[in-house]
Amino acid sequence: SGGSMYLPAPGAYCYVEKPSAKPFERAVRSLYSGRRAQVIHTLLVHHERWFGVHELAEVSMVSPATVSEVCSELERQDWVSLQGKGPRKKRQLSQPTALLDAWAKEVKERPAPTMDRYYVPGVKADGLMQRVGEQFGKSNIEYAVSHEFAAQRYAPFLSSISQIRLRMIKSTKSQAVISEIGARSVVEGSNLGIIETDAGELLFRNEIDTIWLASPVQVYLDLMHGEGRSIEMADHLRKERIGF
């Protein structure tokens, strides 16, 4: 993007290094946050599908203008294939691996999202998840479990999971349910972590055994904030469930 080039050839070596322009760097960073991230998420989940602007906007829950901005940047990166012209123009993500790699790199460089930590005594992770699922379900609270617990459900890797971390749309009702399950706020030693979110970050969640799990792509990105076994688990999930 900035004009850098590396070209090896028999008897020749060409190397030109130039810094990327700041406007381009800002544009790339903005791809992976807010409403634009919802478009990226949709394209990764449906990477084999061809989309028109309005269709992609509807599935992504964003405006057509936002879709156009994201798609223009992806075209610039040569990460999408094009079909048709004008209003009938459609796009398909042709480089899902490159796009997910770029998003994961950006996620690792930003601070982890703020998480409220709780401890629920006298219950293991599976039992706690069952209790959370039942109570949230009764109260129609929208949530999606992520991190290690969700990864384990999608692609078993570890022998046991000790903590549940989920994304949830907070409200007065949700806070009341948290109290009902016996959760108390703690600074450390938590077994339940809750990240405040909006509907856009719950896109493509899956219900498995009455528990709502974040999409495999979202779980993979959340695991990128960890280290050690979390990174190993992310690699395993990507190989076994995401596939690119």
Side-chain angles (χ1 to χ4, degrees):
S1 63
S4 298
M5 179 176 67
Y6 166 56
L7 179 65
Y13 181 91
C14 178
Y15 180 63
V16 179
E17 183 177 15
K18 297 181 179 179
S20 296
K22 290 184 178 180
F24 175 79
E25 292 174 350
R26 287 197 297 269
V28 169
R29 283 198 297 270
S30 70
L31 276 179
Y32 309 111
S33 59
R35 300 300 183 193
R36 294 179 182 86
Q38 292 174 211
V39 181
I40 298 296
H41 196 174
T42 301
L43 289 171
L44 287 169
V45 171
H46 299 290
H47 62 278
E48 296 180 346
R49 182 172 168 182
W50 288 89
F51 283 103
V53 169
H54 290 279
E55 182 185 13
L56 182 53
E58 183 178 354
V59 177
S60 306
M61 298 172 54
V62 302
S63 70
T66 298
V67 169
S68 295
E69 289 176 10
V70 172
C71 288
S72 294
E73 192 57 50
L74 296 181
E75 286 180 32
R76 184 175 176 178
Q77 297 276 12
D78 289 328
W79 286 346
V80 292
S81 298
L82 305 177
Q83 187 180 82
K85 295 181 179 180
R88 296 186 178 181
K89 186 176 183 179
K90 290 190 174 184
R91 299 172 177 85
Q92 180 193 53
L93 182 62
S94 57
Q95 300 293 331
T97 300
L99 181 55
L100 185 54
D101 284 346
W103 195 357
K105 179 181 178 181
E106 201 277 336
V107 164
K108 289 177 71 174
E109 292 175 352
R110 75 167 76 138
T114 301
M115 181 168 60
D116 295 331
R117 302 177 185 275
Y118 299 90
Y119 178 70
V120 182
V123 62
K124 293 184 178 180
D126 286 332
L128 174 57
M129 189 65 257
Q130 195 65 35
R131 186 186 301 180
V132 169
E134 289 174 357
Q135 293 299 323
F136 281 19
K138 289 179 182 177
S139 301
N140 295 318
I141 295 171
E142 293 185 271
Y143 73 95
V145 182
S146 190
H147 293 265
E148 290 83 1
F149 190 93
Q152 184 76 358
R153 287 294 179 94
Y154 281 129
F157 182 74
L158 300 177
S159 58
S160 64
I161 303 293
S162 60
Q163 187 183 65
I164 293 169
R165 284 181 276 188
L166 57 86
R167 295 172 178 271
M168 181 186 73
I169 299 177
K170 284 191 175 181
S171 64
T172 303
K173 183 170 58 175
S174 67
Q175 290 301 112
V177 173
I178 290 172
S179 297
E180 288 176 11
I181 63 175
R184 65 171 185 263
S185 180
V186 296
V187 176
E188 54 185 38
S190 65
N191 58 0
L192 175 63
I194 297 179
I195 300 169
E196 183 175 2
T197 191
D198 58 31
E201 292 188 325
L202 299 183
L203 279 174
F204 313 116
R205 60 180 184 154
N206 299 298
E207 187 177 22
I208 299 179
D209 297 330
T210 71
I211 303 300
W212 284 101
L213 306 180
S215 78
V217 168
Q218 183 64 64
V219 175
Y220 172 77
L221 294 171
D222 285 340
L223 288 171
M224 287 291 100
H225 279 300
E227 55 186 26
R229 301 311 298 272
S230 292
I231 300 300
E232 292 177 25
M233 200 169 196
D235 292 340
H236 179 75
L237 174 66
R238 184 167 179 175
K239 178 181 178 182
E240 298 296 323
R241 188 64 185 247
I242 297 174
F244 54 80

